[in-house]
Amino acid sequence: MKFGGTSMAGIERIRSVAARVKREADAGNEVAVVVSAMAGETDRLVGFCREASPLYDPREYDVVVAAGEQITSGLLAIALQAIGVEARSWLGWQLPINTDDAFAKARIGTIDTDALIASMASGAVAVIPGFQGMNADGRITTLGRGGSDTSAVAVAAAVKADRCDIYTDVDGVYTTDPRIVPRARKLVKVTYEEMLELASVGAKVLQTRSVGLAMKEKVRVQVLSSFTGEDAPMADTLPGTMIVGEEEIDDVERQLITGIAHDKNEAKITLTSVPDKPGSVAAIFEPLSSANINVDMIIQNIAHRSSGSASATDVTFTVPAADLPRSIEALNQARESIGFGELVHDTRVAKISVVGVGMRSHAGVASTMFTTLGARGINIQAISTSEIKVSVLIHEDETELAVRVLHTAYGLDADEAA
């Protein structure tokens, strides 16, 4: 069971989580619980780091931000003990959850579960802080924002759990954000691949790496709401959304487009007058890679003659908005080796994506997207595609309009508003 920040926001909500965990334990299940920090707590801790120094040491940053989950894991263990459930907290270094050295964005390698499994088998509930682990030198590492989902799936895989229930502030995965489109429909089942694409392009329900790990380890994941009443049915019977392998979904249940996602946390960078020669693009992205910055959409314009005799080109790409300052710094440091003219950036952009395994066997998905947006006067700044996804970059002010018109265009609207 994994509970997010809104589920842990205050002692009363933690008591409610404890009652829910107790019901699972009383039903004879061996239970491990992974918890996030209280809602807003990680942002508060990150703010302290940035105040202390804009170019903080990532190793010390991890020490600070890991504290949020440590607090909630201890509090939940106390709340469980108070209602007669044997429970203890297991911090990331106590299992341990072994990670690499990419501080603030660490990846899980292995989890030592012998003691954990023995404790669970004895009837004790294990409470594990999400988002944190330990590197080979014994230093605390964190897994990046949303990393508690990854922790939960990794623990579920390590203990060979029957299922990983992710409790959040929504009751499942919808065709799009119901706050933008009231007629969005909740999906009963979604494939790992579709959820991976949805998560990677802005659907906030699950973190991308957690879905990728679930897919790799074949962990069945269920998305549920933790805000149902005390008398709500057990998780086994709750109508959440199951994230499963494609073989579990009948062709009858499958539709052309599964969902539409949006992401405003993007920043666009354009480098002008980049020399049009072999190796110049590699020179741009190598320093970004070294800084652990993920680049998404990439466009290289047609080469043109610069003021000199050599031809040049403009290269445009997107990075996470939070990584923009570090991206600019890394590129400016490498300016001489890259040889670009100007660096122009824009944070007022949004990425809109349509996702569905049905695209593999149906033509015209991209055409429908471009025609629909064009009819509403929405300009497309960049395009990227995968086998089951088409994404476009647009001005952020047009995000909600784009999501609504595409949801209707692909026939995803429910008969009645939710």
Side-chain angles (χ1 to χ4, degrees):
M1 305 172 77
K2 183 265 174 178
F3 293 90
T6 49
S7 308
M8 303 298 290
I11 296 301
E12 279 311 308
R13 287 193 178 169
I14 290 173
R15 285 198 182 109
S16 175
V17 166
R20 198 176 293 274
V21 173
K22 183 178 189 298
R23 290 173 65 192
E24 293 290 348
D26 288 348
N29 294 316
E30 292 178 30
V31 184
V33 186
V34 172
V35 295
S36 296
M38 292 185 185
E41 182 65 9
T42 304
D43 286 338
R44 188 175 75 92
L45 297 173
V46 170
F48 286 150
C49 291
R50 287 179 176 153
E51 279 183 52
S53 171
L55 296 174
Y56 48 73
D57 181 346
R59 292 169 296 189
E60 302 305 337
Y61 167 93
D62 279 0
V63 172
V64 175
V65 298
E69 282 75 9
Q70 181 168 318
I71 291 165
T72 49
S73 62
L75 288 173
L76 180 56
I78 291 170
L80 284 164
Q81 291 164 5
I83 57 175
V85 178
E86 187 184 347
R88 67 153 285 189
S89 61
W90 295 79
L91 303 187
W93 57 268
Q94 289 174 318
L95 283 168
I97 295 172
N98 301 297
T99 74
D100 61 17
D101 291 329
F103 291 94
K105 291 182 180 178
R107 289 189 171 273
I108 296 173
T110 59
I111 302 179
D112 297 344
T113 56
D114 291 348
L116 176 66
I117 290 171
S119 175
M120 290 167 63
S122 72
V125 170
V127 185
I128 302 164
F131 179 59
Q132 64 173 246
M134 181 184 81
N135 76 349
D137 296 331
R139 293 205 63 138
I140 289 176
T141 57
T142 65
L143 310 182
R145 297 309 296 266
S148 292
D149 284 348
T150 305
S151 299
V153 172
V155 170
V159 302
K160 296 180 168 52
D162 297 318
R163 195 178 67 239
C164 179
D165 288 344
I166 307 277
Y167 287 86
T168 180
D169 52 358
V170 295
D171 61 350
V173 180
Y174 280 74
T175 48
T176 196
D177 188 339
R179 291 168 297 185
I180 295 177
V181 182
R183 288 181 178 273
R185 290 184 288 109
K186 185 166 70 175
L187 300 160
V188 177
K189 290 180 181 176
V190 179
T191 68
Y192 293 124
E193 206 172 352
E194 288 171 328
M195 195 65 234
L196 193 59
E197 292 285 19
L198 286 168
S200 72
V201 293
K204 301 295 188 290
V205 181
L206 287 175
Q207 198 254 5
T208 312
R209 278 165 56 191
S210 69
V211 184
L213 185 60
M215 184 175 176
K216 175 174 170 280
E217 300 291 342
K218 294 185 168 47
V219 175
R220 300 175 85 247
V221 176
Q222 182 170 213
V223 178
L224 303 157
S225 172
S226 57
F227 294 99
T228 51
E230 292 292 325
D231 57 348
M234 294 287 283
D236 297 49
T237 56
L238 276 176
T241 300
M242 288 294 297
I243 318 297
V244 295
E246 204 169 325
E247 67 280 357
E248 280 197 49
I249 300 182
D250 298 332
D251 285 337
V252 178
E253 299 172 305
R254 185 168 293 149
Q255 54 197 42
L256 175 60
I257 297 300
T258 297
I260 296 167
H262 68 282
D263 188 1
K264 292 184 179 180
N265 299 310
E266 295 274 313
K268 183 176 73 167
I269 296 174
T270 299
L271 300 182
T272 66
S273 302
V274 176
D276 184 32
K277 64 182 183 181
S280 58
V281 173
I284 295 170
F285 296 116
E286 194 282 325
L288 296 175
S289 173
S290 298
N292 279 318
I293 295 166
N294 288 324
V295 175
D296 186 18
M297 299 175 156
I298 303 172
I299 303 169
Q300 183 170 353
N301 297 333
I302 297 171
H304 56 81
R305 291 280 172 186
S306 60
S307 53
S309 57
S311 64
T313 183
D314 296 343
V315 178
T316 299
F317 52 91
T318 61
V319 298
D323 287 336
L324 180 61
R326 292 195 304 123
S327 301
I328 292 171
E329 182 189 26
L331 291 166
N332 280 330
Q333 284 181 353
R335 183 168 192 160
E336 192 172 324
S337 60
I338 299 169
F340 64 87
E342 279 188 278
L343 187 157
V344 183
H345 61 87
D346 182 6
T347 56
R348 292 184 57 76
V349 294
K351 181 167 61 178
I352 310 294
S353 307
V354 297
V355 175
V357 290
M359 286 187 201
R360 290 190 183 126
S361 52
H362 291 81
V365 172
S367 173
T368 298
M369 186 181 200
F370 304 151
T371 302
T372 302
L373 295 177
R376 301 306 292 263
I378 298 172
N379 186 48
I380 296 171
Q381 302 178 25
I383 302 166
S384 70
T385 64
S386 78
E387 191 179 21
I388 64 166
K389 177 197 73 184
V390 182
S391 296
V392 297
L393 198 69
I394 63 172
H395 193 281
E396 69 172 6
D397 289 349
E398 296 172 320
T399 303
E400 286 75 13
L401 173 61
V403 170
R404 282 197 294 270
V405 297
L406 289 172
H407 199 267
T408 301
Y410 289 110
L412 296 176
D413 291 351
D415 293 336
E416 294 181 6

